[in-house]
Amino acid sequence: MNATDMAVISVKNLSKRYGRIIAASDVTFDIPKGSIFGLLGTNGAGKTTTFKCMLGLARADSGMVLLGGAPLRPKTFEELSYVPETSALYDWMTGRDHLEFTRRAFRRYAAGRARELLELFGLDPMRKAGKLSKGQQSALALTMAFSIRPRMLVLDEPSSGLDPLHQRHVLDLMIDAAAGGATVLFSSHQIGQVERAADHVAILHQGKIVVQGEVDQLKASEKIVEATFDPHVPALDGLDADPNVRRVMRNGRMIRAFVRGNADEVARRINVASPTSIRVLDQNLEDIFVAAVGAQASSAAGREV
Ligand code: ATP
């Protein structure tokens, strides 16, 4: 049995252009049952496009998507919750109306669960959606999404606009859903959240997946060799071309080489040039992101990407 056979969500070679813009290019990933898969990427990287193509809301130019082991069909939506990036609520309807709508549309709707979620997010079900704050609208959309006890969840920046407490609730809901066997795909600009909740991650850049894998394995296999020199970093010929070196950043007297796999050989090469200090560090997800998409994105936005 290969990874695709076991995958509940499987995306193969998905590509989509908007005119001259390549929004998704050969995007391929599999998500096993009960996994939480985090999709990271800079603005415009293609995350929303990937979700829309997966769910038939945009037409892919090529590629294949299997949800619950089958191509998208009306039945898929009985057990799948999608929360889009922008609000899909009706301004004139109350929270209670939206939940009634959800009850009628989904056989798996659980009224008790919906009540718990309203309470968790501190939502007044009698208020019209148009009168809710952006964060409260997100919370209502999430209440609807989780109230149907979905087997698959596709969440496009689910905690955008939520306060830190409610963001934590969303992570807990995803973790709880996955522990109960649901398969979760979500995008986020908050690397810390992805690191906390996701067991698998992919980083999209300009429509292409540049890194993907199990979070723990990626972190264990990616290292940084950091060295300082006096008075300045020497040329270190050939270091940038080393196939195991993803990126080299030089900043005054310091050099940081982002290395895939065994970092000892890279450390040895740098050591030959007699640095004043040298150390090998494990990478966290933010380092992996920076190495994959460039320093520009991270310095512009801190821990948010
Ligand atoms: P963000 O993090 O900013 O939400 P994203 O990773 O979700 O970004 P997408 O919304 O998928 O990115 O956009 C990918 C690219 O496709 C961008 O360059 C965007 O401008 C373009 N794009 C998306 N939708 C359309 C559309 N309907 N028509 C034309 N171009 C589009």
Side-chain angles (χ1 to χ4, degrees):
M1 192 182 275
N2 63 33
T4 313
D5 293 332
M6 291 184 299
V8 170
I9 297 178
S10 182
V11 174
K12 267 197 203 343
N13 312 113
L14 187 90
S15 295
K16 168 77 180 169
R17 295 176 81 115
Y18 289 107
R20 295 175 62 183
I21 295 172
I22 300 171
S25 173
D26 216 15
V27 171
T28 298
F29 55 83
D30 288 315
I31 315 183
K33 180 174 161 50
S35 263
I36 303 181
F37 191 101
L39 195 56
L40 283 166
T42 44
N43 288 128
K47 301 178 292 294
T48 298
T49 300
T50 300
F51 291 167
K52 284 186 175 170
C53 290
M54 287 173 65
L55 300 172
L57 303 168
R59 190 189 292 264
D61 299 327
S62 56
M64 191 179 79
V65 176
L66 298 177
L67 295 162
L72 188 71
R73 51 191 171 162
K75 200 171 178 306
T76 312
F77 291 101
E78 286 177 16
E79 47 191 42
L80 183 143
S81 280
Y82 169 55
V83 176
E85 187 183 18
T86 48
S87 171
L89 302 173
Y90 295 103
D91 280 357
W92 66 92
M93 278 169 49
T94 64
R96 197 172 71 170
D97 295 337
H98 279 91
L99 289 170
E100 175 58 16
F101 204 64
T102 310
R103 186 187 71 78
R104 290 187 197 186
F106 294 92
R107 275 190 293 129
R108 295 175 59 78
Y109 177 78
R113 183 74 176 134
R115 273 195 300 277
E116 279 170 20
L117 291 161
L118 285 172
E119 201 165 314
L120 183 72
F121 288 116
L123 285 173
D124 174 358
M126 301 317 287
R127 292 195 74 194
K128 291 203 165 124
K131 301 267 187 250
L132 297 176
S133 71
K134 184 173 181 298
Q136 288 168 332
Q137 290 183 353
S138 300
L140 179 56
L142 288 160
T143 297
M144 292 160 69
F146 282 93
S147 70
I148 68 159
R149 294 176 295 137
R151 294 206 170 99
M152 289 173 277
L153 283 139
V154 179
L155 309 173
D156 199 349
E157 294 182 38
S159 50
S160 131
L162 294 179
D163 65 50
L165 190 66
H166 287 154
Q167 288 185 14
R168 183 59 74 100
H169 291 330
V170 176
L171 294 188
D172 289 347
L173 286 170
M174 289 196 288
I175 292 167
D176 184 55
T183 305
V184 183
L185 169 61
F186 79 110
S187 69
S188 178
H189 285 289
Q190 312 236 359
I191 295 182
Q193 294 198 349
V194 175
E195 200 156 18
R196 208 171 298 145
D199 44 62
H200 289 70
V201 69
I203 299 173
L204 263 182
H205 186 48
Q206 296 174 348
K208 280 199 166 68
I209 290 188
V210 288
V211 170
Q212 77 165 306
E214 284 185 38
V215 175
D216 290 344
Q217 272 183 15
L218 280 175
K219 284 179 10 187
S221 65
E222 304 273 335
K223 306 277 179 200
I224 299 173
V225 181
E226 186 181 276
T228 52
F229 287 88
D230 196 12
H232 52 74
V233 177
L236 297 167
D237 286 337
L239 187 67
D240 302 65
D242 185 321
N244 291 325
V245 176
R246 284 190 188 275
R247 184 172 296 270
V248 180
M249 291 166 69
R250 295 173 170 84
N251 185 5
R253 296 189 305 148
M254 182 185 283
I255 183 167
R256 302 181 96 211
F258 293 80
V259 183
R260 184 182 333 165
N262 188 352
D264 293 348
E265 175 54 24
V266 173
R268 196 194 56 74
R269 282 175 73 165
I270 295 176
N271 217 14
V272 168
S274 304
T276 49
S277 73
I278 184 161
R279 55 187 185 155
V280 177
L281 307 164
D282 288 343
Q283 289 189 33
N284 60 28
L285 209 46
E286 185 186 15
D287 297 319
I288 295 169
F289 185 89
V290 171
V293 311
Q296 225 182 342
S298 104
S299 60
R303 271 197 81 82
E304 290 212 358
V305 293

